[in-house]
Amino acid sequence: MSKIVCIYSEKDYAIEFLSPLCNYICDTLSATRVGYDKDNDDDTLSEIYKIAKDADIIFFLGHGRSDALYADLLDDCNIFDKYNIDLLQGKKLFLLACNSADFIHRYHLTSTIGFQDLPTSLYDAQKRKHIHGIDITDFSQSDIDIYNKALVDALCNSISVETINDYSLFRERFKFQVSREIVNCLIQHKDQEHYRKIADVLFYLQKDMVIK
């Protein structure tokens, strides 16, 4: 049986909304959860590396740049970068982090799922400003909350034992689930001023996903 690890810390406020996804992954795939925080009452980096080294499949739910996957809670300390990329090579990877698609290309990772821009906070919306020409600087917190819930729901409805062993199947299922969330947004959230923009950004969530 594959050893599956989910790296995530719910004590990171910016990604607290991903807690249901982490719980789902651990429950559905019997994954081992490993986290990090400033108070050292969670797993240390050395423990993360030890568990990651022995894993067959790694889920990373967090923050990313083209050159690193990092921990916001640890003053942007890199968890994976060029100095330890060997810990990820040869494994199946699911990297839910901004710019993880670029990270995949930079380090020539295979059997990996990654993403581009994920505007999951007001800070992200202000920093990125546009997603494929869509102005998101005027997004409100309620707009972000709708996007985040749709992201989590689409992933929870796409990840399974079958899809994690067949990334082509995952792609098709995720595309379908995101389409459902787009329809739901257009029907259920017409009271939101930017509901059409939210739907458009959700479209690019799945369109920009990279599978190598």
Side-chain angles (χ1 to χ4, degrees):
M1 185 175 180
S2 298
K3 294 181 181 178
I4 305 175
V5 172
C6 184
I7 301 172
Y8 167 73
S9 179
E10 65 183 5
K11 295 177 182 179
D12 183 342
Y13 176 76
I15 56 172
E16 186 178 19
F17 74 95
L18 292 176
S19 181
L21 176 59
C22 179
N23 292 338
Y24 173 82
I25 291 168
C26 292
D27 291 344
T28 303
L29 304 177
S30 299
T32 299
R33 173 177 168 171
V34 55
Y36 46 84
D37 69 10
K38 288 182 177 179
D39 301 323
N40 294 321
D41 61 355
D42 212 347
D43 300 290
T44 63
L45 286 177
S46 59
E47 185 66 15
I48 290 175
Y49 297 148
K50 179 181 177 181
I51 294 175
K53 183 178 181 179
D54 294 334
D56 300 306
I57 302 173
I58 297 175
F59 286 81
F60 180 89
L61 314 183
H63 306 279
R65 302 187 306 270
S66 63
D67 65 330
L69 302 176
Y70 66 93
D72 187 57
L73 275 178
L74 300 176
D75 299 319
D76 293 348
C77 171
N78 291 349
I79 297 181
F80 298 107
D81 57 21
K82 64 181 180 180
Y83 298 107
N84 60 9
I85 195 64
D86 58 299
L87 290 172
L88 300 182
Q89 292 170 336
K91 303 178 187 296
K92 283 197 168 186
L93 307 171
F94 184 98
L95 309 178
L96 185 63
C98 289
N99 306 308
S100 55
D102 296 331
F103 179 85
I104 291 168
H105 290 303
R106 186 185 191 101
Y107 296 115
H108 309 291
L109 298 171
T110 58
S111 299
T112 303
I113 295 173
F115 298 84
Q116 292 286 357
D117 290 327
L118 300 171
T120 59
S121 70
L122 290 176
Y123 173 79
D124 289 335
Q126 292 299 318
K127 180 181 178 181
R128 286 167 177 76
K129 300 185 184 303
H130 296 86
I131 301 288
H132 289 277
I134 304 165
D135 183 1
I136 59 174
T137 58
D138 53 1
F139 267 19
S140 66
Q141 185 59 54
S142 59
D143 295 329
I144 296 294
D145 291 342
I146 292 169
Y147 175 86
N148 288 350
K149 185 177 187 305
L151 167 63
V152 169
D153 288 349
L155 286 172
C156 285
N157 287 320
S158 301
I159 294 171
S160 67
V161 172
E162 292 76 20
T163 58
I164 206 61
N165 287 308
D166 183 347
Y167 279 177
S168 295
L169 178 59
F170 174 84
R171 183 193 294 277
E172 294 306 312
R173 189 167 296 178
F174 186 61
K175 182 178 180 180
F176 173 74
Q177 293 299 334
V178 170
S179 296
R180 289 184 61 184
E181 294 300 330
I182 289 172
V183 171
N184 182 66
C185 179
L186 293 173
I187 294 175
Q188 299 296 329
H189 296 293
K190 288 185 177 181
D191 57 327
Q192 291 291 126
E193 179 181 358
H194 304 123
Y195 76 101
R196 288 186 177 274
K197 282 189 183 182
I198 301 169
D200 288 341
V201 175
L202 284 171
F203 169 77
Y204 286 110
L205 165 67
Q206 60 85 16
K207 190 175 191 319
D208 290 342
M209 181 180 67
V210 168
I211 298 180
K212 297 292 285 185

